[in-house]
Amino acid sequence: MRCTKKAIAVLLVLLTLSAWAAVFAAALPQDALPVEAMQTPLLHDETATPPENKDSLAPAADNNGKLRGETQDTEEQNPADPTPASQPETPAKQDPISVSLTASNVEVTVRRTIQMTAETKGFTQTPTLTWTSSDESIATVDQNGQVKGVKAGKATITVTAKSGDTTAQDSMVIFVIKLKTPIKLLLQEYQVLGYKYHFRDDYYYVNDVQCWQRGFGFGRFYDLVAPYILLEYDYVRVFFTYQDKDYMVQLWKGQYGLVFYGCEQGIYCKEHSDKQDSVFTFYKSMEQNEWPEMELTLYHDKQGNGNYVREFTRDRGTHWWCSGFKPGHLRKEEPATELRQEGSIFFKDAEMARLFADGLKVCGFGEAKDAESMELDEYNLNGSTVSFRWQNINDAETTMPIKIAGGTAFAVGGLAFIVGLLLLLAIIAMMGMGIMLFIIIL
């Protein structure tokens, strides 16, 4: 019974202390209590002391976990709703201002037409279109974008779109070709007697991968004989030695027979020799795996007024012999200064290119700082690439006395042969008449 009374007394004391603690907690400001004090009933803690300053207390949190007294500038999101809060709309991107050209075909036959179309974007108002041709002697264009071929060649068609102070421009190269006859179509697909035809610039060329000329090499003898088979051309020979082989790079331009003019560039080699080359020294065409890349363009002053017009371009490709021939006849065959030849050779390394450039210098070419600023009869060396612009230098002039002497001997010998043949025919005819006369008498 006594134990029961003691337990009841202890319980009353604990209840009294709890009541006083609750009264004390209620007397404090609500936001001054720490979160732990709100979550856990305060029984008794002899070591706990009340905070000295309410400013040092952490702010209380509400039932949603947000601290009291905080302000939120952003829109609240319901945790139960997975949809993200709405964002401000991004304005649609506007297409950049532009104009682009398309064509029904990049080739047009002489005296026929193709249609070009311009598509504009980004203009706030419908722009005005202006059409122009870089060379109206080759192709014309009207203000509806219709292109008409005038003569074989290529021209750049440009369209300019303008609206207020805003403009845009685009260009496209159009090739004008001659009528595709069966013979030219044959020469386009197949090589006949070593030659093929190219419609876009109306020229003939040699497919040097498969040509009968490759097996004959080249030497000085061929150039001396050329005039007597109606090949009147200027030429330049460049010699150099590289990796125990002697190389010869030759350039040609001039009249080829009665109906063609054109230009060539080729590279040949032979085993190195210290002996001086003679008229009968021949260089072989290089092995195919050693061929460099080349490109070649021919210009022609047709009117003699100093206006050199592009005739054709052989685009960059692997060659040992790169050539092109146009139908026509030069005003003056030799020297062929109305032709200008521009080309580049892309050698296997910079050393080989430097040796070739030094050889050009020996031939009389000057050195240009860059390919764009080259003057006549100059070259530019850029790494393993050598570009040149050739017009006036001519090694053929140094062999002219030999040609004249050879031509005189050939003419005298030919005349003697013809006279002898006529005398022989006359003797035979006289003998025939004598025989006939003898038969008649009998």
Side-chain angles (χ1 to χ4, degrees):
M1 186 71 173
R2 187 176 299 175
C3 291
T4 304
K5 289 181 179 180
K6 287 183 179 181
I8 292 173
V10 172
L11 181 62
L12 288 174
V13 171
L14 291 175
L15 290 174
T16 302
L17 291 175
S18 298
W20 278 107
V23 171
F24 177 76
L28 289 175
Q30 186 69 19
D31 58 357
L33 290 176
V35 176
E36 292 80 357
M38 298 179 64
Q39 293 176 346
T40 306
L42 182 62
L43 296 179
H44 68 281
D45 186 358
E46 296 178 355
T47 62
T49 57
E52 297 178 358
N53 191 336
K54 72 174 183 178
D55 294 336
S56 66
L57 299 177
D62 60 14
N63 293 333
N64 293 326
K66 186 171 67 174
L67 299 179
R68 292 192 182 95
E70 271 191 333
T71 58
Q72 299 292 328
D73 294 333
T74 59
E75 182 180 349
E76 294 187 20
Q77 182 177 342
N78 187 353
D81 185 6
T83 306
S86 60
Q87 299 293 332
E89 294 184 1
T90 303
K93 291 185 178 180
Q94 187 177 3
D95 290 331
I97 295 173
S98 65
V99 58
S100 57
L101 273 178
T102 56
S104 57
N105 199 334
V106 295
E107 292 183 352
V108 56
T109 305
V110 174
R111 293 190 295 275
R112 295 185 181 176
T113 61
I114 59 171
Q115 183 63 49
M116 301 190 73
T117 304
E119 180 183 3
T120 59
K121 292 182 180 179
F123 288 91
T124 56
Q125 296 181 347
T126 303
T128 301
L129 301 180
T130 304
W131 298 81
T132 57
S133 170
S134 63
D135 192 343
E136 293 192 345
S137 68
I138 293 176
T140 61
V141 59
D142 63 20
Q143 293 310 303
N144 295 317
Q146 189 175 74
V147 179
K148 183 176 182 180
V150 178
K151 68 176 182 180
K154 67 179 181 181
T156 302
I157 304 300
T158 302
V159 63
T160 303
K162 183 174 183 181
S163 177
D165 295 331
T166 305
T167 61
Q169 196 174 78
D170 193 19
S171 299
M172 180 180 290
V173 175
I174 297 296
F175 297 90
V176 181
I177 62 175
K178 288 188 174 182
L179 186 65
K180 293 187 175 182
T181 62
I183 294 178
K184 288 182 178 179
L185 285 171
L186 176 67
L187 289 172
Q188 182 188 34
E189 297 296 330
Y190 303 100
Q191 187 157 262
V192 179
L193 297 178
Y195 295 91
K196 298 188 70 175
Y197 178 73
H198 197 286
F199 274 101
R200 287 192 171 179
D201 277 331
D202 183 34
Y203 70 94
Y204 298 84
Y205 67 100
V206 174
N207 178 7
D208 56 329
V209 177
Q210 298 174 341
C211 62
W212 58 268
Q213 295 94 329
R214 183 180 172 188
F216 290 87
F218 207 85
R220 187 180 177 192
F221 176 76
Y222 292 158
D223 288 329
L224 294 176
V225 173
Y228 311 120
I229 55 175
L230 304 179
L231 301 179
E232 293 283 353
Y233 50 68
D234 298 348
Y235 58 84
V236 173
R237 296 192 194 96
V238 180
F239 298 95
F240 62 93
T241 300
Y242 171 79
Q243 294 186 352
D244 295 327
K245 284 188 177 182
D246 294 332
Y247 286 85
M248 178 181 72
V249 177
Q250 183 150 338
L251 314 177
W252 301 263
K253 61 181 176 70
Q255 187 70 42
Y256 293 80
L258 298 176
V259 292
F260 292 101
Y261 61 89
C263 65
E264 313 163 72
Q265 59 192 37
I267 183 167
Y268 307 84
C269 66
K270 66 179 181 64
E271 294 300 322
H272 175 64
S273 173
D274 293 328
K275 294 177 59 177
Q276 187 175 0
D277 291 351
S278 69
V279 174
F280 299 102
T281 300
F282 289 92
Y283 288 72
K284 301 182 298 182
S285 60
M286 297 173 61
E287 296 296 329
Q288 189 166 353
N289 61 351
E290 297 179 346
W291 295 358
E293 290 187 322
M294 301 181 182
E295 59 186 17
L296 176 67
T297 300
L298 179 67
Y299 295 87
H300 186 195
D301 179 13
K302 290 186 175 181
Q303 307 300 324
N305 56 7
N307 181 27
Y308 284 79
V309 178
R310 190 190 68 87
E311 290 281 19
F312 63 81
T313 297
R314 293 292 307 273
D315 294 329
R316 180 172 177 173
T318 304
H319 300 284
W320 67 272
W321 178 29
C322 187
S323 61
F325 309 98
K326 291 279 291 187
H329 202 283
L330 301 179
R331 291 178 290 105
K332 183 180 180 181
E333 295 179 354
E334 196 172 5
T337 54
E338 64 186 84
L339 296 179
R340 178 183 298 165
Q341 181 174 337
E342 295 184 8
S344 297
I345 302 180
F346 305 86
F347 291 95
K348 61 188 296 184
D349 56 41
E351 175 65 14
M352 194 174 188
R354 184 189 63 79
L355 292 169
F356 172 63
D358 290 344
L360 285 172
K361 189 178 296 185
V362 172
C363 292
F365 284 78
E367 183 175 4
K369 294 182 179 180
D370 53 71
E372 289 73 21
S373 63
M374 281 191 305
E375 299 292 338
L376 297 180
D377 300 323
E378 286 190 343
Y379 71 90
N380 170 252
L381 172 62
N382 182 13
S384 60
T385 302
V386 180
S387 303
F388 57 87
R389 180 172 293 164
W390 172 44
Q391 181 173 310
N392 299 313
I393 297 174
N394 184 13
D395 287 348
E397 294 178 356
T398 62
T399 59
M400 190 60 65
I402 301 176
K403 290 182 180 181
I404 293 174
T408 302
F410 181 81
V412 171
L415 181 60
F417 175 77
I418 293 173
V419 171
L421 182 60
L422 290 175
L423 289 174
L424 178 61
L425 292 175
I427 293 172
I428 293 174
M430 292 176 65
M431 289 177 61
M433 290 177 63
I435 294 171
M436 292 294 297
L437 182 60
F438 178 71
I439 293 174
I440 292 172
I441 294 174
L442 293 176

